[in-house]
Amino acid sequence: EELPEGRHRLTFQQTDVLLEPAEDHLLIRVTAPDASTLGTIRDVVASHLERFGRRNELTVVWEQS
């Protein structure tokens, strides 16, 4: 599937992570086959992004939709 410019998809087995940059934030959509996998992937994604963005005090806030 071709994504619009700027968007990126990461796929891990049955889990998808869609990264979509916005004006003042990065929208991250995670889909997973079950709640346990969803929690694990969210933790991994958040820890990596926060580590990379530590200098700029980046924090990840999850909202469920």
Side-chain angles (χ1 to χ4, degrees), residues 16-65:
D16 281 328
V17 179
L18 180 63
L19 305 172
E20 182 178 342
E23 223 175 276
D24 61 348
H25 64 278
L26 176 64
L27 178 61
I28 307 165
R29 296 181 196 268
V30 179
T31 56
D34 56 63
S36 176
T37 303
L38 178 63
T40 299
I41 293 298
R42 285 176 22 163
D43 289 346
V44 169
V45 169
S47 68
H48 283 293
L49 287 174
E50 288 175 346
R51 186 182 56 194
F52 295 140
R54 184 174 296 140
R55 191 180 330 174
N56 295 326
E57 299 180 13
L58 180 130
T59 57
V60 175
V61 177
W62 294 106
E63 295 178 5
Q64 188 167 342
S65 60

